[in-house]
């Protein structure tokens, strides 16, 4: 059969199993998490409203809810959260972009990597970005989150030489067309080293960044 | 009749009469310019190809052709080119945006205002913009020209406190959709003090800037 | 450091600090306003619902709520509202455009400039516009607000020789696509001297107009 | 069979048979015209380039070519061109819209109705429209042709009480998106009494207007 | 002044004054209707919900509410409803299009013309249309209302020789994009004699049809 | 390996191997055909210009070129063209749609099925469709090809009870947006039994129809 | 009259009469079902919410509600559900696509054909599809349902040689634009043998598949 | 000044300086390359037509032209092409996507990394992809290039656990809208670990992949 092809996802240390919570009932999420706990060391659930989170936490122990990111995270008690050296920079433009940036940061952490958050550094006040340049440059990879005109990834991309994962958000109004404006900006960026995920897909931004970070950095507390 | 309402455009000193050359024949443009010369001190024609320009210059004296802007300019021999103090900054992102930026600059000059050109300062290398910050800040108003992701006006808008006229260009490929990407970026800018004209409309950018500049600055060599 | 570059916004007399209220809680807005009051003479908050406004006004004294514009304005008791000579015309097409026009007018005033409102003068009854022509022509700059086909800025632009800031609104239905129809009309205007801000962005329209007005007019009660 | 239902188009006096020339060869058009001449009193062919027209005129006598409209018209020698009292106003905004307006006017005439042309009266100079108000108001119906922001039908619609057929054109550049901007303007017009045909469809505009005109006016030289 | 130009809409017998109810409060509508009653013989208000209608009817006598069309109509007691001979055909495709078709029919009647309704004759069962062919052909003009693929006006246009006013509706789902699909179909119709109004604009369809009908038909009970 | 899965397309009698000619050089097409001839009984090449066809025919014998469809077809001398009983109806709206309809018909034939062509039966003259109703109804499946408003598949779908494959074409101008208008019409059809392929994809329409036809009909000259 | 043309849909055994429930009241649906029961052996109602279903079931006996598909099905007690040999494969990508897939499957069954459901086999885990290959290949026709990137029909189309009816869903967020992304994917599929219905149109997918299946397969328990 | 901030791009070993050839003249490109040769060890020029390439190669020695990728590459004679261990997989769907895939591969190589090309493995024949699974899985990162429905990155993303850079191409016709269809597919992919660059941007795909590869792999012939 196909077993030889090893299609089945092996359980790799530090890779969370991820549940997309939108459109799932509290009951369904609880059942899924219970099953996953037996086989995985880390579980991440995204798009969980505060009400759902409270109900789920009553039935499952040790779930950490992040209100901004709207995520639930669980890990085996013996498991360390951060497994790798170095860090991923999660850079965001405005206050309203925070929920997406936080989804990215939480995903990075769920993948066993450290996330350093740099917030409110949109291009309309470029000095705020420059003030944080050292910390961004020293990251392995940046996740850059912006709505409205979505210009921040271009500015960051021009200042760093590592890969930038750009996350457009639906923040804005009028001719932003639910994030299309930011998405087009990022796809058309004149800076090199930028690639883009879906509108509001903080999870995707964080997941891509962590995949890169893990390959590029050694594990903490061990010599590879 | 309507004469009392003064609908007819009075001939104001320093306002050029403008001819839109696209879709007009060499013969038509020559005829129009000849008529205008009798009544105006300054004439600007835009969207003139080099071939057309050469043919027109053979028939009309003292026409200056700008190859990048693709404009023809004529002024009465006694007329000074620059009539007002101060200057307009014409800032552009990339080499391919130059033809639009130059159309803007030539229009500013045809309106009797000085244009200072700052080129190749796109956001992917933000230090190039910062190196030119003093000269941009000292202008009365900026025309900012960019294609692709169209992020430059946001960056400039955040660094200056004067009005910014943003001109999106059709420069780019793929998902730039003929300049739509840059237009949406500029319309959705999170910086205040930015307003936008049509894609590739360097003329409009320069005209708006000059209208503002003339109101804000005194005439050279006179006390208003 | 960057201090030499003077990135930090100096406190200029008559420039309000502006709070974008959408998506912020009552508590957050109160905290922000309290902090700003210590350092600024004028504060404007936009996109504030009547309910939020009432709650905020209970905690902060001397806030003026404009129900149509949905803005809160505060100024230092010693500060005069209008600081400059002359006025900005705020011209709007239909009754439903009033909320956007009023946001523009309140912004103009918050910037220390006088706003003269001319309402309900849409192109479908052009005589209404012509009846108000003198007052519009005597302004320094016009903010022109229209939804549906967004034709008003073209008509105004053809009648005045000062700059026109066009504000498309989402007013209409069917193929207006949330204001896209009006936005495209204004961006494609055949009148010169028109530039455009985002759909429903009354604040942007007013802010741009005031920037121009302040440069073009002397302060009241002083000889510059 | 279906004959009872009278599906077959009867030959009505004064209705031209119309040939859409685009994509047809000279040979095909000649053959079609030859066949039609035997059965019809009037033939109109649209979208005919000057080269094709010259070739066709060599083979078919008494064809009148209109270079602006790019139409060929033939009528039986005994047939009067204009059959009805009154007239249709064909109003257009700019010089580049003339080819579409002329296609409309020629179609009106091919239908046996008089067309009065009012050109170059775009909204950016509204006095030009007002100067022609009487002649437009006295028409039975108006065809109003405009590109770019497409605002003219709204202005005309507000000044007349007869039906207005609006024809958007592809004239313009940048964000006009091949006439979409003008089409959306016209479909969203706030004036009543306006209906719209396809971009550049001068034929459709003229045909609709003539259908209305014929019903509303008596035949010349007869008492109905 | 402008009085000579007669901009002010004269009160013509049988033209209703029309109130667009959407976005207006019950109180505003009552005040407007009260003022209009003093000067007009007929008043039509559109886009009135059942709740609003009930509240308004309590304050104003003799208002007739049409639940499908969501309109309120009032006329002077001495005024006859139908003033003109002949009729307008109001043809609609499916049950869900009825609310728009009824808005058209009520508008036709408010204009003093008779409306004959032909419903549920969409192209997916073309025999239903053919069964009603005689009654449609005998009308002066047709208003044809359809959503989804919007094909009905093309079919009707090919079967009648009078003008067709096409009204696209937002009926449908998925790739109908809120009526865009039907609008594009109608604008691109290969049948001649069709012109189009905005999505869901039953009022516009009826108003255009009545304008044509009144010009083409004599008044009842009088010899013109 | 994967051989067990039988991924490799077996050579089934009567299925042509198809070459997409667009973007391939004459040389490449000749080489491909030569290789295929050794292993297949039927070869179809689509999107072949007349110039390319002539050059290819010089090198490969027995290739039949269809100028309207722009296809080349080759079959083994012993192979019969039509292998199945019954027929597929290929119905098209206008003359300009013929090239797409013919691509569909040729594909049907290359698949060993009979294609009956019914042309020029667009909805603007519905009697033309009704005159051909018997022949369409007796087909196993219909391919219906239309541009502009794309209404024909809805009309056919309502008259037959077999499956309809709808093929939108790019025929038209203005707001047809390269076939988008016809595509949306067909996707939103209110008739059941309709499914849609890409704009101008006559090949896809014919291929789908033939797949169905072959399953539904017995082979000629044999008892299955 | 038209009777000869047999426009009226004959009652064919096994074809359900279908009611589109969206926008209809409980009362309307009950009345329609009551009328249909007298003349038909099978009735299918789609887009019925659980609340409506419960209310309808109280008034009409023997209605089967499918909660996922949101359908009501009734058949004459003597009628067998499955009438034909063989089966239709209903293949879906993700859990959220199930409601659309189930609407397709229920429609297939209402047409008297067997539906085999293969769920959760999206392309992001292609082995899940390959594990089900035999069962899909042995079907007469496949309905393939997918949202987000809509890639599943291409993968299935490449693995089977029978017709594939592709159903895009609105599942996803951000740049999926309500299903447009999946629709475009399917329309542009590079696999042959795929045709597409509207977004979320499970009914259309099932109906097309059953039309094909019935023609291609013999009735159960009879020798044709 | 800004020197402290180190904005100026240091010359890093193995990073090519890249020239975008589109819109530049032969003369301009030659001048740029001459200047760069003095300061860099590697130069890549993209979007160079064969004619331009020939002319440039006459003036500059040791330039290697890649006809498919339309690139020119130069490196210092002492410089090794491949500097890093491991490889990047460049996977493409169809023959027409090769020019974009090759631009990606050449860019990867210009960055000093090895590129392994896997071509013609589109999802319509998934076994072709599975046959190459081992070689793709053993890469550090994949660049996946596809036009039309753009489904390949989703399939690859589900089979590998390394990052995938997706490159949509403009290959296709009709409703592919110049690559928009493929772009939307990739942005909406349900597989994790995928990020996207602009349509036809092979350079961007290769550049991003090489950035990641260099961080994740040791240099050849050295112990870091
Ligand atoms: N916020 C998110 N946005 C996009 N994809 C997500 C998100 N969260 C989880 N996913 C993806 O959804 C998959 C789980 O989907 P499901 O099986 O429906 O729970 C995960 O493997 C992730 O690839
Ligand atoms: N490059 C340009 N882009 C947009 N508008 C222009 C341009 N050049 C001139 N115009 C406008 O076109 C008008 C002249 O048009 P025309 O009468 O056709 O020559 C001028 O008054 C300007 O408002
Ligand atoms: N310029 C035009 N634009 C749109 N439709 C036209 C035009 N000229 C002719 N037609 C229509 O095309 C039909 C003739 O098309 P054909 O049979 O292809 O020559 C006429 O009956 C008109 O309805
Ligand atoms: N006119 C056409 N439109 C769309 N697809 C086609 C067309 N002609 C051939 N094809 C498809 O293209 C495949 C061959 O592509 P290629 O290998 O590039 O020659 C065939 O198997 C068909 O599926
Ligand atoms: Mg960079
Ligand atoms: Mg600023
Ligand atoms: Mg003006
Ligand atoms: Mg009117
Ligand atoms: Mg007709
Ligand atoms: Mg049918
Ligand atoms: Mg297949
Ligand atoms: Mg993966």
């Amino acid at each position: 059969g196909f077993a030889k092809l090893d299609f089945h996802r092996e359980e790799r240390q530090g890779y969370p199993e991820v549940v997309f919570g939108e459109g799932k009932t509290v009951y369904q999420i609880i059942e899924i998490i219970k099953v996953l706990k037996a086989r995985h060391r880390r579980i991440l659930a995204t798009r969980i409203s505060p009400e759902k989170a409270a109900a789920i936490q009553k039935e499952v122990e040790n779930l950490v809810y992040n209100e901004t990111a709207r995520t639930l995270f669980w890990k085996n008690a013996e498991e360390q959260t951060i497994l790798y050296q170095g860090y991923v920079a999660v850079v965001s433009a405005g206050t309203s972009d925070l929920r997406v940036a936080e989804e990215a940061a939480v995903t990075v952490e769920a993948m066993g990597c450290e996330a350093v958050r740099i917030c409110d550094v949109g291009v309309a006040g470029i000095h705020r970005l420059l003030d944080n340049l050292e910390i961004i440059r020293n990251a392995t990879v940046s996740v850059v989150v912006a709505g409205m005109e979505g210009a921040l990834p271009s500015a960051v991309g021009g200042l760093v030489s590592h890969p930038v994962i750009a996350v457009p958000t639906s923040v804005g109004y009028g001719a932003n067309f639910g994030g299309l404006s930011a998405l087009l900006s990022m796809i058309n960026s004149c800076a090199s080293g930028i690639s883009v995920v879906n509108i509001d897909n903080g999870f995707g931004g964080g997941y891509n960044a962590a995949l890169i970070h893990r390959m590029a950095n050694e594990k903490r507390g061990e010599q590879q």
Side-chain angles (χ1 to χ4, degrees), chain A:
Chain A
F2 281 101
K4 290 184 215 117
L5 285 171
D6 174 33
F7 280 120
H8 302 296
R9 238 195 187 207
E10 75 274 41
E11 280 161 51
R12 277 168 305 247
Q13 188 197 3
Y15 275 81
E17 195 59 34
V18 188
V19 182
F20 185 65
E22 205 151 297
K24 296 209 175 78
T25 63
V26 165
Y27 177 79
Q28 289 172 321
I29 298 170
I30 291 169
E31 288 307 291
I32 294 171
I33 293 180
K34 281 185 180 163
V35 171
L36 294 177
K37 278 180 70 172
R39 301 221 319 261
H40 293 271
R41 298 200 193 168
R42 294 159 169 262
I43 304 170
L44 177 67
T46 65
R47 310 275 163 127
I48 309 286
S49 67
E51 297 73 32
K52 277 188 185 177
I56 298 166
Q57 283 174 317
K58 275 193 195 135
E59 299 299 317
V60 187
E61 272 182 13
N62 295 325
L63 280 171
V64 181
Y65 186 61
N66 182 315
E67 222 170 311
T68 308
R70 308 206 316 154
T71 51
L72 281 170
F73 180 57
W74 172 91
K75 68 173 178 49
N76 188 306
E78 284 145 43
E79 178 93 355
Q80 253 186 288
T81 306
I82 303 305
L83 309 169
Y84 289 84
Q85 297 182 354
Y87 61 86
V88 171
V90 178
V91 184
S92 57
T95 316
S96 315
D97 301 315
L98 273 182
R99 62 190 172 82
V100 178
E102 195 62 25
E103 192 184 84
V106 166
T107 302
V108 167
E109 291 162 353
M111 297 277 286
C113 309
E114 191 172 332
V116 174
R117 293 145 172 91
I118 299 105
C119 308
D120 210 24
V121 296
V123 293
I126 206 77
H127 62 288
R128 299 175 300 180
L129 179 61
L130 298 176
D131 287 348
N132 288 282
L133 196 49
E134 272 333 284
I135 202 160
I136 302 177
R137 282 197 168 159
N138 289 335
T140 309
V141 49
S142 293
V143 181
V144 184
V145 180
M148 300 173 86
E149 81 270 65
L152 189 57
S154 289
V156 173
L159 291 166
V160 305
S161 53
H162 60 238
V164 169
I165 313 294
V167 187
T169 74
S170 55
V171 169
Y173 62 88
N176 82 327
F177 299 122
L180 179 62
S181 167
L183 171 61
L184 291 180
S185 270
M186 294 174 184
I187 279 286
N188 285 292
S189 176
C190 55
S192 350
I194 297 178
S195 62
V196 188
V197 298
N198 200 0
I199 297 163
D200 290 336
N201 190 3
F203 165 75
Y207 190 89
N208 275 288
L211 280 188
I212 297 168
H213 186 79
R214 292 170 69 118
M215 286 196 305
N217 291 276
E218 289 179 28
K219 287 222 172 148
R220 292 193 172 177
E222 42 177 305
Q223 299 311 87
Q224 250 178 339

